């Protein structure tokens, strides 16, 4: 598993690296100012791979633009970062990312749990345009958590799975044991409810062995 430090402040990238993150995500939908300058600041403070993300309002973020506007915002960042998070709704605009040889985290965030057969179809759809499918759901009960773990174990790898919200936040720690590649944590302000800090997750990983 790799710990991703999801950041709203690029100046915290160095701290994230020191704490044990393997990658950093710049949440540009939550960052004010020039995105190119933010990447430059991040590079000055750490040597980790960088994920560029504009999380849409439909999927829990604060980006409200169209797919065409998303493409225009991402374009100047492509040469500067290592990964681009591309939500399924923006998949048709992912061509320049692929052409530049950058890796795509193909993401989908659902406000509910999805049936197992839907999860497997979704994984195939995301993998069709991305390198690492990222499927985040909102469990309603423990059975949903168990089903998500079963899906994670059975899915083709690499895969990233996770949960939204506080109620079943422990699933964030369990899913990597079943094969989830990335664990999104925070350094500084949390970018999602229920996130562990990088320091917390490093400690959890040691306890889990």
């Amino acid at each position: 598993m790799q710990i991703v430090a999801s950041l709203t402040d690029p100046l915290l990238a160095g701290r994230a690296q020191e704490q044990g993150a393997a990658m950093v995500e710049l949440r540009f939908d939550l960052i004010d100012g020039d995105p190119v300058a933010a990447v430059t600041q991040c590079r000055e403070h750490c040597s980790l791979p960088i994920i560029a993300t504009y999380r849409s309002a439909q999927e829990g973020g604060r980006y409200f633009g169209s797919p065409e506007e998303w493409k225009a915002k991402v374009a100047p960042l492509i040469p500067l970062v290592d990964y681009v998070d591309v939500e399924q709704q923006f998949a048709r605009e992912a061509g320049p990312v692929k052409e530049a040889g950058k890796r795509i985290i193909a993401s989908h965030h659902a406000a509910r749990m999805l049936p197992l057969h839907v999860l497997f179809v979704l994984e195939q759809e995301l993998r069709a345009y991305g390198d690492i499918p990222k499927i985040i759901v909102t469990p309603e009960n423990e059975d949903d958590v168990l089903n998500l773990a079963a899906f994670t174990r059975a899915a083709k790898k690499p895969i990233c799975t996770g949960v939204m919200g506080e109620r079943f936040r422990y699933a964030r720690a369990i899913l990597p044991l079943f094969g989830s590649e990335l664990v999104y944590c925070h350094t500084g302000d949390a970018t999602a409810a229920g996130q562990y800090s990088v320091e917390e997750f490093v400690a959890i990983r040691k306890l889990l062995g």
Side-chain angles (χ1 to χ4, degrees):
M1 79 182 77
Q2 297 189 80
I3 297 175
V4 179
S6 187
L7 305 178
T8 61
D9 183 351
L11 297 177
L12 294 177
R15 184 188 302 177
Q17 183 170 359
E18 292 172 358
Q19 291 173 340
M23 305 167 67
V24 296
E25 176 191 47
L26 293 178
R27 279 290 302 272
F28 289 108
D29 57 303
L30 303 176
I31 296 174
D32 295 327
D34 179 14
V36 171
V39 178
T40 301
Q41 289 176 325
C42 187
R43 290 287 188 205
E44 289 174 350
H45 289 83
C46 83
S47 58
L48 301 178
I50 297 173
I51 306 167
T53 300
Y54 279 95
R55 181 69 60 232
S56 72
Q58 298 97 305
E59 300 204 9
R62 295 183 186 173
Y63 174 69
F64 296 91
S66 68
E68 293 76 17
E69 291 168 328
W70 177 90
K71 182 178 181 180
K73 285 182 174 293
V74 167
L77 301 174
I78 294 173
L80 308 176
V81 300
D82 305 281
Y83 294 78
V84 178
D85 184 297
V86 182
E87 292 180 10
Q88 193 172 24
Q89 62 178 310
F90 303 140
R92 292 184 179 180
E93 310 300 334
V97 182
K98 292 182 179 180
E99 292 164 7
K102 302 305 173 82
R103 302 194 74 195
I104 292 175
I105 296 174
S107 66
H108 182 87
H109 297 67
R112 61 186 179 89
M113 179 58 181
L114 302 175
L116 277 173
H117 70 279
V118 174
L119 289 174
F120 282 106
V121 171
L122 178 59
E123 180 233 329
Q124 292 178 352
E125 293 174 348
L126 295 174
R127 203 176 295 279
Y129 73 89
D131 299 287
I132 303 177
K134 178 188 178 187
I135 300 175
I136 310 298
V137 298
T138 307
E140 295 182 3
N141 51 52
E142 289 81 3
D143 287 341
D144 286 348
V145 175
L146 291 174
N147 284 333
L148 183 59
F151 164 75
T152 304
R153 182 175 183 274
K156 182 180 177 181
K157 305 302 185 289
I159 187 78
C160 171
T161 58
V163 299
M164 298 174 71
E166 295 274 0
R167 184 179 175 193
F168 295 104
R169 73 186 301 240
Y170 64 82
R172 295 172 180 266
I174 292 173
L175 291 168
L177 303 178
F178 292 87
S180 183
E181 177 80 9
L182 306 175
V183 181
Y184 283 73
C185 301
H186 69 87
T187 296
D189 295 333
T191 59
Q195 264 183 353
Y196 292 101
S197 70
V198 172
E199 286 183 311
E200 288 175 324
F201 204 84
V202 167
I204 290 169
R205 184 170 61 181
K206 289 179 180 177
L207 289 171
L208 292 174

